[in-house]
Amino acid sequence: LTKMYERNRESGSVWVTMKRSMMKRLPKRGERPPPEQVLNDPEWVRLIRASDGKKKISTTVETKAAEKFSRSLSLVQMASMDGLQELKKPSKKERK
């Protein structure tokens, strides 16, 4: 992810998405799993995807490690934000 941000530092974008996933086969459309299976088997993980339009990477993070991963991800993103340009706001006189 760091390398992806470095490649796109001058120009370009990086998209990062997070999604909750069960990471197992879901029942067919119209069928419902038994309620006891849903309650007894909560294997939720987070699916993390990143893309810069040319290259895609993805990984899964267990629920136990999600908070640590989120902190690490925010550090990488904050370190990569120095390439942003400030937006110039028009003054009140220019708006009128």
Side-chain angles (χ1 to χ4, degrees):
L1 191 60
T2 304
K3 290 179 184 180
M4 192 177 287
Y5 276 116
E6 288 175 2
R7 278 195 308 265
N8 294 294
R9 185 173 296 272
E10 296 299 320
S11 65
S13 300
V14 176
W15 295 274
V16 178
T17 59
M18 293 186 204
K19 180 180 178 180
R20 187 176 73 160
S21 175
M22 289 186 82
M23 296 304 291
K24 64 181 180 179
R25 183 171 291 190
L26 296 175
K28 292 181 181 179
R29 182 177 275 176
E31 293 180 16
R32 288 191 166 184
E36 59 273 356
Q37 179 186 2
V38 174
L39 294 174
N40 296 334
D41 196 20
E43 295 180 20
W44 293 100
V45 296
R46 291 192 180 156
L47 178 61
I48 315 294
R49 295 179 181 144
S51 173
D52 64 352
K54 297 176 186 173
K55 187 172 182 179
K56 298 177 186 177
I57 58 174
S58 66
T59 188
T60 57
V61 179
E62 297 292 327
T63 306
K64 298 173 187 174
E67 186 177 339
K68 183 178 178 182
F69 181 83
S70 295
R71 279 188 263 133
S72 299
L73 178 63
S74 66
L75 286 174
V76 169
Q77 289 176 335
M78 294 293 277
S80 302
M81 284 190 194
D82 61 353
L84 295 176
Q85 297 176 355
E86 277 191 41
L87 294 175
K88 294 182 181 178
K89 295 182 181 179
S91 66
K92 291 182 180 181
K93 292 180 182 177
E94 292 176 1
R95 282 190 242 162
K96 292 181 180 182

